Amino acid sequence: MRSFLCRSMLACPTPVGVTFNPRAADPLFKNFHRAIRAVLALGLMLGASSVLAASVVTIIPKPQQMSVSDGHFVLDARTRIRAPHDKRGIEIANFLRAQILQQNGIRLRDSATGDDHRIVLQIDPAITGDEAYRLQITTQGIRITAAQDRGLFWGVQSLRQLLPLKSAAQVELPLVDIHDQPAFGYRGTMLDVSRHFYPVAFVKKQLDLLSYYKINTFHWHLTDDQGWRIEIKKYPRLTQVGAWRTEADGRRYGGFYTQAQIRDVVDYARQRNIMIIPEIEMPGHSTAALAAYPELSCTRQPLKVSTTWGVLKDIYCVGDDSTFTFLQNVIDEVIVLFPSPYVHIGGDEVPKDRWKVCASCQALMHAQGLKDEEGLQSYFIKRMHRYLESRGKTLIGWDEILEGGADKTAVIEVWRGDAEGNKALANGNRIINASPYYLDTAMAKLGTATMYRLDPAASFAAHRDQVLGAEAPLWSEYADPLNAETRLYPRLQAFAESLWTAGQRDDANYADFQRRLQAHYPQLDKLRVAYGAAESNVVDYTVALNAQRNGWQLRARHGLDGISNHYTVNGGEPDARSPGFLDSVDIRRPGIVKVAPYRDGRAYDHPQTFTLIGQLALGKPIRLGAPPKAPYNVATDQALLDGVLGGTDAEGGAWLGWQGTDMDATIDLGQPTSIHSIDARFLQDSESWILLPKRVLFSVSDDGQHWTTWHDGKLTADPEDIHASVRTVHFANPRSAKARYVRIDAVRYGALPPQHPGVGHEAWLFADEILIH
């Protein structure tokens, strides 16, 4: 999983639009009242009638320039559409006609002449900008003009946002004069369909929404370690084998898009002004392909499609020409399906372990006079770059393709921050800035307000012309068709406006955006979009020990209105018919509790599981020799004795973490107690620098001063094992013995070894529960 790099960015000024009705705004920012006072003052200056007229305009992204007049245009069955007679003009007119019929129930017909009571779509070379348009609504009619059909379509989308959400014989539209064009030409979203597969219907639904908000690029991440999702006729095993994986529970999971489906989706996007860029990962993140054709790896050993996330060591073998023959043949089929001038080849997170011990790779390195394996990566990327160039395509790659040197004509997608962006710019490359916009980032770290205020070019002012724009990627380790939309929206609306306007992103402008966003939620509800909250998760679940009631309490903290929580206590999957609660519910006995959020009768996320277990030390006093380290110290010390077992997710909230110190926990059972067994649970997650302790000791005492060691055991932590797992250190007393105090000492792993990416840094030690029976 690619990490998220977030930083504050300063905005640059741009023309502002009209004011708004402040009472409709959602106060989700720090200086809201100050912004409201400024808006009210501006409203008094403009006059009450203009403020009221402007308040009905809720277009996202906000137009660069707009004036609003009193009055309205009546759209009804008498209204006609006149458009250019070329293929695209007819297509745009048909699109608008279909949308008005669907949303308002009004059927419009064509008109060849006249302007009265008509919607006129017109190409006007005098308008400057490929995507620029002018939208004029008067009492007599509607006119959209643009220099190119791209701008004409965006004008249609703005008109759609002015239509009321009702079916009627006639509807009223406000009188506006809009001059509009985007600040950035590249406004993109990436969807990772490898780790989780998204059906065609879901993809098309997102294309509809992206187009509605004038996002013009869809980056389709089609291959990775966890699945190959595009049919390649020359290599059928890529989808026969590489598109499927066997999950831990034995399920066969996966899917792929046929070439016919891809052509359909690409054309669907084209009609909506969206360019689709395919990504075929190379040379790393290629396990799914190597599982299908292991002869393409350096070891040539059988592999399985990965069921876990992370960076895997088996990659395409750079030393064999057959690798390039394969990839070039794949590219030849891909470029026929995607008319985009770009092909994304990934190029990120490429471990060189296999290349270092591969005879053909080392021979190539010496034959080419390369210094090291980084030079081999550069050789690989440049060779694919030349091939794409020969096919009339421009290569896009993640910023690692700069390692060892990259051709300046390649486009660099920056995900590791400003330093990598500046390195690319200094090399003469154009860039797409993705680093601040990762949609798989927790809402607490990247809410709508933060997304709105980011400027993709703020850190690169000296090379502004080389910044194509930005992209908001959704990596799918923990996102799938059930919960992806809660991560996409409303953050994508904020992203769309930020990239379109590049304007002042102060509190007043954000309040105006929030006012307009509120008006869009009914449309999203109508479209069955499972959008999330603006600044927090849809819901956060926690379980706390409730000693007074001899059990636990399951709690829900809501970030979105209308959520109901449905749960089970027997390990079964909850549904809308399961028992529900609003804020909290008591759980009386140990067991497996599952809880899921529902809204409007449908699940908003997968169930969250809590395993509750009874034991002698529940809620007993505990003293830690060294406190856990931030940020893994949010839970109280009592988290080690609350009877709630943590899973393999280090961020799940059940784990406490130590770095640079050992764990030393002393428990007071209150009185001498018969003890039959002691268990302590630790997490191994090498990808997150979390390793098992080297040694664990269990000791007991009657007075807290004099101790008897019952268990002293060594553990073996494998830093190369990327699979997250929980290890329980267990001690069973051969005969019951009494003690009042129990102490657990866990000796940390220490510095990460040379083969680990974090070499030299201290490993974390994670513990979540001490069980005494």
Side-chain angles (χ1 to χ4, degrees):
M1 175 180 175
R2 296 157 178 82
S3 61
F4 173 73
L5 304 169
C6 180
R7 66 241 186 258
S8 298
M9 292 186 173
L10 299 177
C12 55
T14 197
V16 297
V18 298
T19 186
F20 64 98
N21 176 2
R23 295 182 182 179
D26 185 8
L28 296 178
F29 57 94
K30 187 184 300 182
N31 297 317
F32 177 72
H33 295 294
R34 177 163 57 90
I36 290 297
R37 288 194 295 271
V39 169
L40 287 173
L42 181 58
L44 290 174
M45 294 170 59
L46 294 176
S49 62
S50 62
V51 173
L52 182 61
S55 69
V56 303
V57 177
T58 59
I59 296 173
I60 296 176
K62 184 178 184 177
Q64 297 282 9
Q65 296 180 22
M66 177 174 65
S67 61
V68 183
S69 304
D70 294 335
H72 55 263
F73 170 75
V74 177
L75 179 71
D76 55 26
R78 295 178 301 131
T79 309
R80 302 288 187 265
I81 296 180
R82 180 155 59 88
H85 291 294
D86 57 68
K87 179 181 177 181
R88 184 56 176 156
I90 294 170
E91 202 171 54
I92 293 173
N94 288 339
F95 176 85
L96 176 58
R97 183 184 295 105
Q99 298 303 317
I100 291 174
L101 179 61
Q102 181 182 35
Q103 184 164 320
N104 305 113
I106 299 173
R107 191 180 302 274
L108 305 183
R109 291 180 289 175
D110 289 333
S111 173
T113 60
D115 288 349
D116 288 345
H117 213 78
R118 284 166 173 78
I119 300 173
V120 177
L121 309 179
Q122 184 178 6
I123 295 296
D124 181 359
I127 293 180
T128 304
D130 293 347
E131 297 181 89
Y133 69 92
R134 184 179 184 185
L135 169 60
Q136 299 165 280
I137 303 179
T138 69
T139 55
Q140 270 68 52
I142 300 171
R143 181 180 294 273
I144 301 173
T145 52
Q148 296 188 20
D149 53 39
R150 296 170 68 198
L152 208 61
F153 186 84
W154 292 142
V156 163
Q157 293 292 51
S158 289
L159 175 60
R160 286 184 61 203
Q161 292 192 27
L162 294 172
L163 293 167
L165 294 178
K166 67 177 182 179
S167 183
Q170 61 179 36
V171 295
E172 297 178 352
L173 284 82
L175 306 185
V176 298
D177 188 0
I178 293 172
H179 297 257
D180 204 10
Q181 64 178 328
F184 291 96
Y186 189 108
R187 307 178 303 281
T189 299
M190 189 214 76
L191 182 64
D192 165 21
V193 299
S194 177
R195 291 170 178 86
H196 280 103
F197 180 69
Y198 294 79
V200 167
F202 182 92
V203 174
K204 285 185 172 181
K205 181 182 179 184
Q206 304 319 308
L207 292 171
D208 284 333
L209 291 163
L210 298 180
S211 174
Y212 193 66
Y213 295 108
K214 302 184 180 72
I215 292 175
N216 65 0
T217 306
F218 179 70
H219 171 183
W220 211 353
H221 185 83
L222 289 163
T223 72
D224 214 297
D225 296 308
Q226 295 77 20
W228 183 283
R229 305 299 182 207
I230 176 173
E231 178 189 25
I232 302 297
K233 294 185 183 296
K234 191 174 183 66
Y235 300 106
R237 286 178 60 82
L238 287 172
T239 46
Q240 292 170 356
V241 175
W244 307 93
R245 62 183 188 245
T246 302
E247 300 285 33
D249 60 4
R251 287 182 303 121
R252 185 171 184 256
Y253 177 85
F256 65 93
Y257 308 104
T258 67
Q259 292 194 0
Q261 288 174 318
I262 287 177
R263 287 190 186 94
D264 176 52
V265 171
V266 168
D267 192 59
Y268 191 87
R270 178 198 60 79
Q271 293 177 42
R272 286 152 181 79
N273 252 20
I274 295 175
M275 171 180 63
I276 297 185
I277 298 175
E279 181 179 357
I280 309 297
E281 273 272 10
M282 61 184 81
H285 287 289
S286 49
T287 304
L290 300 179
Y293 296 98
E295 62 271 22
L296 298 172
S297 71
C298 292
T299 67
R300 294 174 173 78
Q301 296 300 308
L303 292 168
K304 292 183 179 180
V305 178
S306 179
T307 59
T308 59
W309 326 131
V311 179
L312 306 182
K313 292 185 177 180
D314 285 292
I315 63 176
Y316 289 118
C317 190
V318 68
D320 294 344
D321 262 0
S322 59
T323 296
F324 294 96
T325 300
F326 166 81
L327 289 171
Q328 289 166 3
N329 288 335
V330 168
I331 291 297
D332 285 345
E333 291 196 34
V334 168
I335 61 178
V336 172
L337 301 172
F338 295 91
S340 159
Y342 305 104
V343 172
H344 204 304
I345 58 97
D348 63 310
E349 297 179 326
V350 183
K352 312 300 190 303
D353 304 65
R354 300 290 187 251
W355 291 356
K356 290 177 181 179
V357 295
C358 165
S360 64
C361 299
Q362 292 299 305
L364 175 66
M365 187 171 73
H366 293 300
Q368 293 289 324
L370 303 173
K371 179 181 178 182
D372 52 24
E373 288 74 21
E374 301 301 332
L376 279 177
Q377 168 148 331
S378 178
Y379 169 86
F380 188 108
I381 299 300
K382 287 181 177 179
R383 184 164 173 176
M384 292 309 302
H385 182 279
R386 290 194 299 271
Y387 190 78
L388 283 167
E389 202 168 45
S390 74
R391 294 296 189 267
K393 299 292 184 179
T394 297
L395 179 148
I396 302 178
W398 301 103
D399 55 48
E400 282 97 328
I401 71 170
L402 292 167
E403 294 170 3
D407 193 288
K408 67 175 58 179
T409 61
V411 175
I412 308 299
E413 183 159 10
V414 178
W415 74 276
R416 293 183 300 172
D418 292 350
E420 301 303 320
N422 281 309
K423 187 188 302 181
L425 294 169
N427 192 54
N429 299 91
R430 294 169 295 163
I431 69 168
I432 300 160
N433 194 0
S435 57
Y437 300 105
Y438 272 38
L439 294 167
D440 48 311
T441 304
M443 291 294 301
K445 296 180 180 178
L446 182 64
T448 306
T450 301
M451 185 74 91
Y452 179 84
R453 287 178 168 87
L454 291 170
D455 178 351
S459 300
F460 312 118
H463 299 274
R464 174 63 178 79
D465 291 344
Q466 292 170 245
V467 181
L468 297 179
E471 186 171 282
L474 179 60
W475 298 103
S476 293
E477 285 88 347
Y478 304 104
D480 63 15
L482 177 64
N483 59 23
E485 289 180 339
T486 66
R487 292 155 169 78
L488 291 167
Y489 311 101
R491 290 190 288 187
L492 273 186
Q493 284 100 328
F495 173 79
E497 178 148 324
S498 179
L499 269 290
W500 185 274
T501 64
Q504 294 182 3
R505 298 172 176 87
D506 55 20
D507 290 342
N509 281 285
Y510 181 64
D512 178 47
F513 168 75
Q514 279 290 327
R515 174 194 67 83
R516 287 176 283 118
L517 180 62
Q518 297 304 313
H520 281 247
Y521 286 133
Q523 171 76 323
L524 297 181
D525 287 330
K526 183 178 179 181
L527 297 173
R528 301 287 288 170
V529 177
Y531 55 85
E535 304 296 334
S536 63
N537 295 328
V538 169
V539 62
D540 290 310
Y541 294 115
T542 57
V543 172
L545 187 65
N546 190 347
Q548 293 180 341
R549 297 203 174 193
N550 193 29
W552 293 264
Q553 189 175 70
L554 172 60
R555 300 167 181 167
R557 185 178 63 190
H558 298 134
L560 190 68
D561 291 339
I563 294 293
S564 60
N565 308 289
H566 295 271
Y567 71 102
T568 61
V569 294
N570 60 1
E573 296 297 305
D575 58 29
R577 297 167 295 180
S578 301
F581 68 96
L582 184 59
D583 296 319
S584 65
V585 63
D586 290 333
I587 308 297
R588 300 294 186 183
R589 60 188 64 178
I592 298 177
V593 177
K594 293 188 177 184
V595 58
Y598 279 73
R599 190 170 186 263
D600 296 331
R602 58 184 172 140
Y604 254 52
D605 208 339
H606 297 278
Q608 186 170 341
T609 301
F610 296 93
T611 301
L612 310 181
I613 188 166
Q615 57 138 326
L616 296 175
L618 277 181
K620 298 297 185 181
I622 183 171
R623 178 177 54 81
L624 298 178
K629 184 177 178 180
Y632 303 106
N633 60 350
V634 176
T636 65
D637 298 348
Q638 204 62 44
L640 297 174
L641 300 175
D642 62 0
V644 183
L645 304 188
T648 55
D649 179 11
E651 305 288 343
W655 295 94
L656 297 179
W658 288 262
Q659 189 184 43
T661 59
D662 297 334
M663 172 187 147
D664 169 5
T666 302
I667 302 160
D668 182 0
L669 296 176
Q671 61 184 8
T673 304
S674 294
I675 297 175
H676 299 275
S677 66
I678 303 173
D679 294 275
R681 290 163 43 88
F682 301 95
L683 182 65
Q684 162 88 13
D685 186 359
S686 183
E687 282 275 304
S688 301
W689 298 11
I690 302 168
L691 296 181
L692 295 172
K694 286 185 173 180
R695 182 181 174 200
V696 177
L697 295 87
F698 297 155
S699 306
V700 297
S701 172
D702 292 327
D703 58 6
Q705 300 295 322
H706 303 87
W707 296 89
T708 300
T709 299
W710 278 5
H711 173 80
D712 184 351
K714 294 182 179 179
L715 279 71
T716 302
D718 182 3
E720 296 190 48
D721 181 5
I722 66 170
H723 300 88
S725 60
V726 177
R727 176 76 65 86
T728 299
V729 178
H730 175 72
F731 169 75
N733 201 354
R735 61 179 185 275
S736 178
K738 288 188 175 183
R740 174 175 174 175
Y741 298 94
V742 176
R743 189 176 71 204
I744 290 84
D745 293 288
V747 180
R748 67 190 184 276
Y749 181 91
L752 292 165
Q755 67 269 31
H756 195 279
V759 56
H761 294 276
E762 279 281 321
W764 285 85
L765 187 159
F766 267 44
D768 89 311
E769 194 71 15
I770 299 167
L771 304 171
I772 302 175
H773 291 96

